[in-house]
Amino acid sequence: MEAKRSIVHMDLDSYFVSVERLFDSRLNGKPILIGGSGDRGVVASCSYEARKFGVHSAMPMRTARQLCPEALIIRGDFEKYSQKSHEVTEIIREEVPLFEKSSIDEFYIDLTGMDRFFGCFKLSQQIRQRIIKETGLPISLGLSENKTVSKVATGEAKPNNEKQILFGEEKPFLAPLSVRKIPMIGEKTSQTLYNMGVKKVQTLQQMPAELLQATFGKNGNMIWEKANGIDRSPVTPYSEAKSISTENTFEQDTIDVKMLEATLVAMCEQLTGKLRQNLQLTACVSVKIRYSDFDTHTMQQRIPYTSADHTLIPLVKELFRKLYNRRILIRLIGVRFSSLVYGNYQIKLFEDTQEQINLYQAMDKINGKFGEKTVCRAVGMSVGRRSFNPFNGMAV
């Protein structure tokens, strides 16, 4: 018989806002918007006071300001958010043997088997209280048999609270909730379900899985399982990548600057796609060249955290132009992104526009489905559809 699991989900409440309030108590109790201040900017995070007006993350800033004119707008400081996230991560690392960091402010912890020694809910409560005490940040948690139910439980516990769903209580707990509460059911899927007359999870639970499969394909069965409190996905051990890089050794040494820059663009696009796929951002960019006589040079530059092509590609080309000063044949070029942190691309765009966010999300979706370089810059296509050989610099 399969052993019962004990999976904790922890989520820092209104994370960016909470960090800002740590550094400026005058923000307490006020509606706060974090994001780009221009009309075409996007809300990265908002306080509960702002949410009462209908504001939510990823909303255009112009709409948010119309809904909540009195809100204070803060551009945000990702370096600060990354540092506080690291503090929380280290506390969890000290307390438990197996945890997964799914984003900058969200964690899963596997406490299976701990009940015989201590009590899983009691232990998770103690970890939560330690995080609150040592970092000053509010955090909520859910405990259940699997990741899906625990995540939903955390959402129901918020703000700054905790909730346990006992074994066997998963279906009754989920039944009265809106289908939007189920992870992976977004706006488009929920609209399709509403059109089918499905608004509550209980209705999903009562539907044949085959009907959902016919409507949503392979995702249909996953939706049915999640609605019924079934989720076998494991907690993936957390390891922090310090860098990601790629290099290309040419079959023939070359001096063709256009071809070299096209190769750099293609490499950069591949790496930025990997960053966004892994929900990571970089703060340090390096370019490497090796001449035909094996003389090797690198140049790097620190930048604000990003994973945006339109920020990184011009910088990579600029570093290459500064490096390539001997005008002799080149044997190898490479690009490296380091000082990586976890953070979704769309919540980093404090100055970029909704159009740019939509573009990257669409590109990543298409490339994820049909393969790398299905959609890319025209200049990058000049080096063909080949992929380079990226590798991660993992923390030892």
Side-chain angles (χ1 to χ4, degrees), residues 236-261:
T236 307
Y238 175 66
S239 59
E240 197 154 336
K242 292 181 176 178
S243 67
I244 183 170
S245 62
T246 184
E247 294 180 349
N248 182 53
T249 302
F250 298 102
E251 288 184 15
Q252 285 188 316
D253 298 350
T254 181
I255 200 169
D256 183 342
V257 173
K258 279 192 175 180
M259 190 269 283
L260 288 164
E261 289 196 353

Side-chain angles (χ1 to χ4, degrees), residues 56-73:
H56 58 79
S57 61
M59 173 182 280
M61 187 61 77
R62 175 186 288 181
T63 307
R65 281 160 52 187
Q66 288 170 347
L67 290 171
C68 188
E70 63 266 48
L72 300 173
I73 300 173

Side-chain angles (χ1 to χ4, degrees), residues 297-312:
H297 297 266
T298 60
M299 185 176 287
Q300 70 176 38
Q301 185 172 322
R302 291 198 64 83
I303 56 170
Y305 284 102
T306 186
S307 62
D309 297 24
H310 67 272
T311 301
L312 293 164

Side-chain angles (χ1 to χ4, degrees), residues 24 57 65 76 170 180 284 372 378 393:
D24 187 352
S57 61
R65 281 160 52 187
E170 295 87 1
R180 280 301 300 268
C284 187
E372 287 177 358

Side-chain angles (χ1 to χ4, degrees), residues 100-371:
E100 174 182 332
K101 185 174 183 178
S102 56
S103 73
I104 193 170
D105 57 357
E106 192 174 7
F107 305 83
Y108 290 98
I109 302 169
D110 192 339
L111 295 181
T112 303
M114 292 298 293
D115 264 329
R116 72 187 79 167
F117 304 111
F118 191 72
C120 294
F121 196 49
K122 188 176 178 184
L123 176 57
S124 54
Q125 286 174 313
Q126 288 195 2
I127 296 169
R128 175 174 169 261
Q129 288 303 323
R130 183 183 166 193
I131 290 168
I132 293 169
K133 182 180 178 183
E134 295 186 17
T135 69
L137 294 168
I139 186 168
S140 297
L141 75 82
L143 169 65
S144 79
E145 196 270 338
N146 64 59
K147 291 167 85 171
T148 293
V149 176
S150 294
K151 184 177 174 72
V152 177
T154 301
E156 293 303 291
K158 283 177 174 285
N160 204 23
N161 214 328
E162 50 207 22
K163 191 172 188 70
Q164 179 180 18
I165 308 303
L166 298 173
F167 294 113
E169 294 296 314
E170 295 87 1
K171 277 184 71 172
F173 162 66
L174 295 170
L177 303 178
S178 163
V179 292
R180 280 301 300 268
K181 299 276 181 145
I182 300 293
M184 86 174 277
I185 295 184
E187 195 171 334
K188 191 176 176 183
T189 303
S190 62
Q191 196 55 54
T192 305
L193 288 170
Y194 294 161
N195 293 340
M196 294 168 66
V198 181
K199 293 185 177 178
K200 299 292 184 185
V201 175
Q202 185 171 14
T203 313
L204 269 181
Q205 293 173 344
Q206 294 166 347
M207 291 173 73
E210 295 76 19
L211 178 57
L212 290 171
Q213 278 181 304
T215 308
F216 299 105
K218 62 182 180 182
N219 287 335
N221 194 56
M222 203 180 302
I223 291 171
W224 185 87
E225 286 190 342
K226 286 179 181 288
N228 281 277
I230 301 166
D231 179 3
R232 302 173 190 85
S233 59
V235 171
T236 307
Y238 175 66
S239 59
E240 197 154 336
K242 292 181 176 178
S243 67
I244 183 170
S245 62
T246 184
E247 294 180 349
N248 182 53
T249 302
F250 298 102
E251 288 184 15
Q252 285 188 316
D253 298 350
T254 181
I255 200 169
D256 183 342
V257 173
K258 279 192 175 180
M259 190 269 283
L260 288 164
E261 289 196 353
T263 305
L264 286 169
V265 169
M267 294 167 111
C268 202
E269 281 191 314
Q270 184 179 334
L271 291 181
T272 52
K274 295 274 184 198
L275 285 178
R276 293 193 295 271
Q277 182 184 339
N278 296 333
L279 301 181
Q280 290 178 311
L281 305 161
T282 180
C284 187
V285 178
S286 308
V287 173
K288 172 181 176 180
I289 64 172
R290 179 170 294 150
Y291 292 105
S292 54
D293 61 1
F294 286 86
D295 187 21
T296 305
H297 297 266
T298 60
M299 185 176 287
Q300 70 176 38
Q301 185 172 322
R302 291 198 64 83
I303 56 170
Y305 284 102
T306 186
S307 62
D309 297 24
H310 67 272
T311 301
L312 293 164
I313 288 174
L315 177 58
V316 165
K317 289 164 83 170
E318 180 190 336
L319 290 174
F320 170 71
R321 287 165 190 160
K322 288 178 180 176
L323 266 179
Y324 186 35
N325 52 23
R326 290 185 61 192
R327 295 300 178 260
I328 64 173
L329 293 168
I330 285 182
R331 173 185 175 82
L332 171 149
I333 55 174
V335 178
R336 180 173 180 261
F337 298 153
S338 55
S339 298
L340 304 186
V341 297
Y342 281 84
N344 196 320
Y345 174 72
Q346 78 173 39
I347 62 175
K348 167 60 186 82
L349 290 180
F350 297 129
E351 292 301 329
D352 289 343
T353 65
Q354 185 67 49
E355 290 89 342
Q356 287 167 321
I357 293 174
N358 292 341
L359 173 64
Y360 287 122
Q361 288 177 337
M363 283 175 59
D364 293 342
K365 188 173 181 180
I366 293 168
N367 288 333
K369 187 173 183 180
F370 298 105

